[in-house]
Amino acid sequence: MISLIRAFEEALEVDCGKIRLEDRLKKDLSLDGDTTTDNADEAFYQLLKEKYGDSWVWNPSWETVGDVISGIGRQIASGN
């Protein structure tokens, strides 16, 4: 979980102590998961790919930092 929060920190250039699980990707962090239109989204997505490879897929229903952390964590744990 800490490494996923650090990915948010690196991509957004924010202290991870300021990122909360309930932070909303679109409203609070200005991330919408559309890596084709936003540099912050692209940087975040690329950091996740570098750290976790192709063992996960972005889910557009993820709305919060907690959603991303638990979603990617489950996918990596299950091998999907």
Side-chain angles (χ1 to χ4, degrees):
M1 178 167 111
I2 295 297
S3 61
L4 283 167
I5 291 176
R6 290 213 172 114
F8 278 101
E9 175 185 42
E10 289 177 42
L12 301 173
E13 299 176 356
V14 173
D15 177 17
C16 67
K18 295 182 179 187
I19 297 173
R20 302 167 303 160
L21 293 176
E22 63 271 11
D23 283 344
R24 292 164 292 182
L25 301 176
K26 291 181 182 180
K27 186 170 184 180
D28 299 323
L29 301 178
S30 299
L31 289 173
D32 65 10
D34 182 356
T35 60
T36 62
T37 60
D38 190 294
N39 289 338
D41 289 357
E42 179 65 23
F44 178 64
Y45 186 80
Q46 288 305 318
L47 278 168
L48 291 176
K49 283 293 184 185
E50 288 171 16
K51 291 178 184 289
Y52 303 105
D54 293 323
S55 60
W56 63 277
V57 176
W58 185 266
N59 185 329
S61 70
W62 293 338
E63 295 182 2
T64 66
V65 170
D67 292 343
V68 173
I69 290 170
S70 63
I72 290 176
R74 277 193 304 268
Q75 288 182 40
I76 290 170
S78 71
N80 294 332

